[in-house]
């Protein structure tokens, strides 16, 4: 593997964050060295100069110095604030994904990383991305806590059961970079890794077209929504439906029963599928059954992607954008509703 960084201990710098993280790190090393050396030197010097020459001598009294105390308070304060600010700024940038990023789904599982692109391609323990593009990873796990880590990009994020976490980066040069799981997750934790391939846009497009797989997440989600899970039988939109309207909700504020308001983001959609009774939209009954245990994490990602695609303005479609929100006509609704019997009525605690 290529390793061109000037300190060979460090992984290559291959993202826009890399130099910032390294600069902060070197600053910390510099500050540590700049304090350690004078302190150690002073210890030796004083131990020589002020060593007890006669036993039981009475030392001089010292009454303190305002100037000295002020100086040794202000200098460390300024230094610690620069460390804090540097860290906070980098952290804020790293954990605020930009809106125009290309979105990729990642699902962790003992002991592999499953990746799916917006255009449908899937990979395991590999991640192909174009150079110079902002990439946002939406991540979750099927089992325990993992941590997605790409040292050459100086970025990592925990992948937590039951929720989405995000990571974003922009690779700056083509190459092959290590990908790790950085959270102990069981027997084969050390083997849970792979490679990130950063490619020129043209090579990436070739790679994409050479790896066509069945459905995109949006298509798979639509299939689940309309056919396999029968969501459309209640959520077809329009007036008089039993289920809340889903078109155009993404990234908007939704009013809940009880007066609370929540933002309809990925987490909200996911939670509404798994724990429907916990956030009931105002004006609707808590009759939706839970789909916990019936859908895999990847299917959940697809459903979320599909529901996002119903809000064309809000989601940031990149790559192969989902066609304009499929307006479900009354015919297809009833057809879907007839085909798939209403979902698990037994689970309803219908009042
Ligand atoms: Cu997954 Cu360690």
């Amino acid at each position: 593997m290529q390793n061109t960084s000037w300190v060979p201990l460090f992984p290559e710098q291959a993202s826009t964050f890399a130099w910032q993280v390294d600069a902060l790190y070197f600053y910390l090393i510099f500050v540590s060295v700049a304090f350690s050396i004078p302190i150690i030197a002073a210890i030796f010097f004083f131990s020589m100069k002020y060593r007890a020459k006669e036993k039981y001598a009475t030392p001089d009294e010292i009454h303190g110095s305002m100037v000295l105390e002020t100086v040794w308070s202000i200098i460390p304060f300024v230094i610690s604030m620069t460390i804090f600010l540097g860290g906070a700024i980098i952290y804020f940038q790293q954990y605020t994904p930009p809106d125009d990023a290309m979105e990729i789904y990642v699902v962790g599982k003992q002991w592999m990383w499953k990746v799916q692109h917006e255009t449908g391609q899937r990979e395991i323990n590999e991640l192909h991305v174009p150079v110079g593009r902002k990439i946002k990873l939406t991540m979750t796990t099927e089992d325990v806590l993992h941590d997605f880590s790409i040292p050459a990009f100086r970025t990592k994020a925990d992948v937590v059961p039951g929720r989405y976490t995000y990571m974003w980066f922009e690779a700056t040069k083509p190459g092959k970079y290590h990908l790790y799981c950085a959270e102990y997750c069981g027997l084969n934790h050390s083997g849970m890794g792979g490679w990130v391939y950063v490619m020129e846009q043209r090579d990436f497009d070739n790679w994409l077209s050479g790896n066509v797989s069945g459905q995109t997440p949006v298509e798979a989600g639509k299939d689940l929504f309309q056919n396999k899970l029968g969501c459309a039988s209640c959520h077809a939109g329009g007036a008089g439906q039993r289920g809340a309207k889903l078109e155009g909700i993404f990234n908007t504020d939704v009013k809940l029963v009880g007066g609370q308001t929540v933002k309809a983001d990925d987490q909200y959609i996911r939670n509404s599928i798994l724990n429907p009774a916990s956030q009931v939209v105002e004006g609707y009954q808590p009759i939706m059954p839970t789909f916990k245990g019936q859908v895999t994490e990847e299917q959940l990602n697809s459903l979320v992607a599909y529901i996002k695609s119903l809000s064309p303005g809000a989601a940031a479609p990149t790559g192969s954008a989902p066609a304009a929100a499929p307006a479900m006509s009354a015919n297809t609704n009833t057809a879907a509703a007839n085909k798939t019997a209403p979902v698990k009525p037994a689970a309803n605690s219908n009042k």
Side-chain angles (χ1 to χ4, degrees):
M1 234 206 85
Q2 67 277 62
N3 198 334
T4 52
S5 86
W6 59 275
V7 177
L9 287 171
F10 280 70
E12 229 181 323
Q13 295 183 338
S15 81
T16 51
F17 298 134
W19 72 267
Q20 301 174 331
V21 175
D22 287 359
L24 183 65
Y25 192 71
F26 284 119
Y27 178 60
L28 286 171
I29 292 174
F30 170 77
V31 170
S32 308
V33 171
F35 275 84
S36 306
I37 289 175
I39 288 172
I40 293 166
I43 289 172
F44 278 97
F45 177 72
F46 291 156
S47 66
M48 304 291 190
K49 181 160 191 221
Y50 298 109
R51 141 182 98 89
K53 294 188 180 92
E54 54 180 286
K55 278 200 168 167
Y56 314 120
T58 320
D60 296 336
E61 278 185 36
I62 296 169
H63 295 283
S65 158
M66 195 59 183
V67 176
L68 196 59
E69 288 186 23
T70 310
V71 168
W72 78 40
S73 300
I74 287 179
I75 291 177
F77 175 75
V78 170
I79 291 174
S80 54
M81 288 314 282
T82 56
I83 295 171
F84 164 71
L85 277 177
I89 290 167
I90 294 172
Y91 182 88
F92 185 77
Q93 278 184 5
Q94 284 211 1
Y95 291 95
T96 314
D99 289 336
D100 57 343
M102 177 177 140
E103 198 168 358
I104 296 176
Y105 294 98
V106 174
V107 177
K109 182 188 177 190
Q110 284 170 322
W111 287 278
M112 63 173 91
W113 294 108
K114 295 192 284 186
V115 173
Q116 188 175 21
H117 293 259
E118 277 176 327
T119 38
Q121 288 77 2
R122 291 168 185 279
E123 2 185 17
I124 286 179
N125 290 342
E126 287 188 350
L127 171 61
H128 287 75
V129 292
V131 69
R133 271 283 289 278
K134 293 173 184 139
I135 313 285
K136 174 186 170 189
L137 306 182
T138 300
M139 308 187 291
T140 188
T141 155
E142 280 180 26
D143 36 52
V144 300
L145 187 68
H146 302 278
D147 187 297
F148 197 83
S149 166
I150 309 168
F153 296 173
R154 305 293 190 278
T155 183
K156 64 196 286 199
D158 273 3
V159 178
V160 184
R163 54 179 288 192
Y164 289 120
T165 54
Y166 307 94
M167 173 196 273
W168 83 275
F169 55 80
E170 182 180 333
T172 49
K173 49 181 170 177
K176 183 181 173 191
Y177 307 102
H178 265 298
L179 156 68
Y180 295 105
C181 175
E183 184 72 61
Y184 181 69
C185 56
L187 198 61
N188 283 332
H189 156 70
S190 60
M192 185 172 170
W195 297 97
V196 179
Y197 295 89
V198 177
M199 311 165 97
E200 296 289 354
Q201 184 69 46
R202 195 188 319 131
D203 299 335
F204 180 72
D205 292 338
N206 284 340
W207 178 83
L208 275 186
S209 55
N211 280 276
V212 184
S213 81
Q215 292 171 305
T216 67
V218 171
E219 287 163 0
K222 185 178 178 185
D223 191 26
L224 287 164
F225 189 91
Q226 298 191 335
N227 307 316
K228 298 202 178 109
L229 298 173
C231 316
S233 62
C234 293
H235 285 289
Q241 290 287 336
R242 284 181 293 169
K245 178 172 158 266
L246 302 176
E247 288 80 3
I249 62 156
F250 190 69
N251 261 341
T252 63
D253 289 332
V254 175
K255 255 197 141 174
L256 302 183
V257 168
Q260 209 191 340
T261 304
V262 291
K263 192 166 179 205
D265 54 8
D266 310 57
Q267 192 63 46
Y268 166 79
I269 298 171
R270 178 197 167 88
N271 188 46
S272 298
I273 297 167
L274 298 180
N275 300 302
S278 70
Q279 291 178 312
V280 178
V281 177
E282 191 175 53
Y284 293 90
Q285 296 297 311
I287 53 173
M288 177 171 160
T290 175
F291 285 82
K292 202 178 253 169
Q294 298 179 48
V295 284
T296 65
E297 288 297 339
E298 279 157 290
Q299 289 176 321
L300 268 172
N301 285 344
S302 300
L303 280 167
V304 171
Y306 171 65
I307 291 168
K308 277 161 84 168
S309 78
L310 300 177
S311 309
T318 44
S320 78
M328 288 178 284
S329 72
N331 308 343
T332 52
N333 292 338
T334 41
N338 292 342
K339 252 183 273 163
T340 53
V343 264
K344 297 252 163 137
N348 293 3
S349 57
N350 200 341
K351 290 196 181 147

